[in-house]
Amino acid sequence: MPSTTVIILDEYPPPPQSLLDALGRMDAACSALTLSQLLHGPVAGLPEADVLLAPARVPGEGVRSAVRRLRLRAGAPTAVVWTVDDFEDLEAHVRLGHDYLVPPFLPALVGARLQSCSERAELGRTLREADARAELMSYEKELEIGREIQAGFLPEALPVPEGWEIDVRFRPARQVAGDFYDVFELVHRRRLALVVADVCDKGVGSALFMALIRSLLRHTAENSGLQHLVAAGRSGGAIPVVGATPLLNAVTATNGYLTRNHLRQGYFATLFFAVLDPLTGSLVYINGGHNPPLLLRGDGSAPVPLEPTGPAVGVLPDCSYALGHTRLDPGDTLFAYTDGVPEARCPDGSFLGDDRMLDLLSQHTGSGRAVLDRMDLAVREHTGEAEQHDDVTMLALHRPRAARGPHATGKAVA
C-alpha cells in the first residue's frame, strides 16, 4: 500500500524526470489533474491526497484554492511546490505557507520531505474526524434535550370520562417529531377536547412548530368563552353544541397567528380537533385538511370518514372553518391517525395504503385498544426491516356497550 498519495498539478512546466523518478522510487501513488479540474470539477470526483505537487510558476492563490477544494473531499493535503530556477516565484509560495522541493531531487530527500507531508496530512485527517465526532455528539445531545422537551408537550396521562376508553400509539420517525396529539378537558370538565395533528416536514423545524401549534390550540381553547353555537348534524338538523366556541376560536386563532407571523417559514399543520360531550356521545369537530378519521360503528357497518371541513392551519389567511358533527353510540370507536399509517413503507418502498387500512378497520369488533393493536402490528409488519419514514400517531376513542367502571386516566403507548 503506498505510503503517500500525490496529486501532480498538470500545468506547465511538467515535473523534471528526476523528480518523477524519485516519486516512483518511494512508491508514491500519483495522479495528475489540471488546476481547472481541481477548482471547478465536482467535489465528489476529487481523489484523496496527502500532497498537491505544483510548479512554482502557478500562482500561489490558485494552489491554495485547489488545496481548499481537496479538503472538502477528505483529509488535509499539503501544498508542495517545486522549481529548478524560479526562486522568486518559490518565495511567494513559501510566504503562503507552502512546502517546497528544489534540486537535487534525490529519492531519499524527496521521500523524507513528502513523508513528513503525509504524516501532517494524516494528523489533519485525525483532527478533522475528532472534530466531526465531537460535533455529532453535541448535535445528538441537543436532539436528546429537544426530545425530552417535546415529550413534555405530550400528555403523560389522558383524562378519560366514565364510560369511555381512550388509547394512543405514538412512534416518532426521528428523535423529535412533527406529529402530536392532545386530550384535555373544557367547559368546567363538561367536555373533552381531542386533537391529532401533523406538522409538515420532519426533524427539528417541524418539532418547533409542533410545540407552537399545540400550545396555541390548547391555550386558546381553554380560555375561550362558553357560548352555545349551532352545528349542522349529518341528518341536516341544527344541533346546539356546548364547546364549539372554544373549538372554532382555537383553530381560527391558530391559523391567523401562523399566517400573520410564520408564513415565510412555510410550515403548516393538518389537524383533527374534536370536542366530545361524554354524556350524550355528541362530537363536534373541525378537520383542517387532515386524513379523515374513521367512525367504526359497533354494528359492523362500513367505516364512516369524517371529511375535511377546512384547510390546513398556517396556509390561508382569514379562511373559515366549518363544524362537522356526529355521534358515538355504545359500541362505536373513533379512529384518528396521521399519514404515517397508510404511508408506512416496506423495504421495496410500497405503501401500506388506504385500502389495506380500511380492510383492517372493517374487521373491528372490539375495543379501541384492539383497533390500535391491530393497526400497529400491521404497520410494523409492513415496514419490516425498512427505515420508518414518517411519524406514526393513532388515537382511538371508544364507547363501550356497557360501562366497565370509572376510569381515572388513560395512558399513551409508544
Side-chain angles (χ1 to χ4, degrees):
M1 181 176 179
S3 58
T4 305
T5 56
V6 180
I7 294 177
I8 299 173
L9 197 59
D10 190 10
E11 302 288 340
Y12 183 82
Q17 190 60 45
S18 58
L19 178 53
L20 294 177
D21 291 342
L23 292 173
R25 290 281 297 275
M26 63 176 291
D27 197 26
C30 299
S31 58
L33 291 173
T34 65
L35 187 61
S36 177
Q37 288 173 317
L38 287 171
L39 295 181
H40 306 299
V43 172
L46 298 176
E48 297 184 20
D50 298 322
V51 173
L52 174 64
L53 186 63
R57 290 187 186 178
V58 175
E61 288 299 330
V63 173
R64 185 157 69 173
S65 297
V67 169
R68 286 174 179 165
R69 287 271 292 175
L70 286 170
R71 286 176 179 169
L72 294 175
R73 174 66 175 87
T78 301
V80 178
V81 294
W82 62 269
T83 189
V84 175
D85 51 20
D86 298 323
F87 293 104
E88 289 185 1
D89 292 334
L90 180 63
E91 182 182 14
H93 282 279
V94 172
R95 291 181 183 278
L96 290 174
H98 300 161
D99 212 326
Y100 65 93
L101 287 167
V102 294
F105 299 117
L106 302 176
L109 297 179
V110 172
R113 180 62 60 87
L114 295 192
Q115 182 62 34
S116 173
C117 293
S118 179
E119 291 171 355
R120 277 187 283 166
E122 181 60 30
L123 177 61
R125 276 192 288 268
T126 301
L127 292 175
R128 285 163 65 93
E129 289 171 0
D131 287 344
R133 284 195 297 271
E135 184 176 355
L136 179 59
M137 290 177 64
S138 176
Y139 177 69
E140 289 177 344
K141 183 178 180 180
E142 292 296 323
L143 274 182
E144 179 60 23
I145 293 172
R147 187 196 67 79
E148 292 175 0
I149 292 174
Q150 187 180 50
F153 284 94
L154 299 175
E156 181 178 352
L158 308 178
V160 182
E162 182 177 350
W164 292 85
E165 297 174 0
I166 303 175
D167 293 280
V168 174
R169 300 291 187 275
F170 177 69
R171 286 193 287 112
R174 302 180 183 177
Q175 284 183 286
V176 290
D179 282 10
F180 70 95
Y181 66 91
D182 204 0
V183 181
F184 56 97
E185 294 173 320
L186 290 173
V187 194
H188 304 303
R189 306 181 65 181
R190 293 161 52 197
R191 298 292 183 269
L192 191 71
L194 305 103
V195 182
V196 173
D198 184 0
V199 179
C200 69
D201 206 358
K202 304 177 185 67
V204 176
S206 61
L208 290 172
F209 271 82
M210 164 266 177
L212 172 64
I213 294 170
R214 181 265 186 193
S215 299
L216 288 170
L217 289 171
R218 179 183 272 227
H219 177 78
T220 308
E222 290 179 334
N223 291 277
S224 291
L226 306 182
Q227 298 98 324
H228 290 228
L229 293 185
V230 174
R234 290 167 53 203
S235 62
I239 303 174
V241 181
V242 175
T245 296
L247 169 61
L248 271 174
N249 287 350
V251 175
T252 56
T254 298
N255 181 72
Y257 178 88
L258 292 175
T259 54
R260 286 194 307 271
N261 298 284
H262 298 289
L263 203 56
R264 183 178 300 178
Q265 281 78 28
Y267 282 92
F268 61 89
T270 66
L271 63 84
F272 177 75
F273 190 158
V275 175
L276 171 71
D277 181 350
L279 295 180
T280 66
S282 175
L283 189 84
V284 63
Y285 63 88
I286 288 176
N287 182 341
H290 196 72
N291 304 85
L294 296 161
L295 183 56
L296 312 178
R297 292 298 185 187
D299 60 10
S301 57
V304 178
L306 306 185
E307 299 291 352
T309 62
V313 295
V315 178
L316 300 174
D318 303 321
C319 65
S320 60
Y321 291 88
L323 291 173
H325 181 270
T326 190
R327 176 187 174 90
L328 275 74
D329 296 318
D332 292 349
T333 300
L334 177 69
F335 175 73
Y337 61 98
T338 58
D339 56 12
V341 177
E343 294 180 7
R345 300 183 190 180
C346 69
D348 68 9
S350 61
F351 292 148
L352 175 71
D354 291 321
D355 290 343
R356 174 60 177 157
M357 183 183 71
L358 285 171
D359 181 59
L360 290 165
L361 293 172
S362 297
Q363 304 170 22
H364 167 65
T365 56
S367 66
R369 177 170 297 180
V371 170
L372 296 192
D373 287 343
R374 184 183 306 117
M375 290 305 308
D376 197 30
L377 178 61
V379 169
R380 290 178 186 272
E381 289 181 342
H382 182 81
T383 303
E385 298 299 321
E387 178 185 1
Q388 182 181 332
H389 286 271
D390 202 357
D391 305 325
V392 172
T393 304
M394 297 180 284
L395 181 148
L397 172 67
H398 179 65
R399 187 177 189 183
R401 294 184 185 279
R404 302 178 184 178
H407 289 59
T409 59
K411 290 191 176 180
V413 178

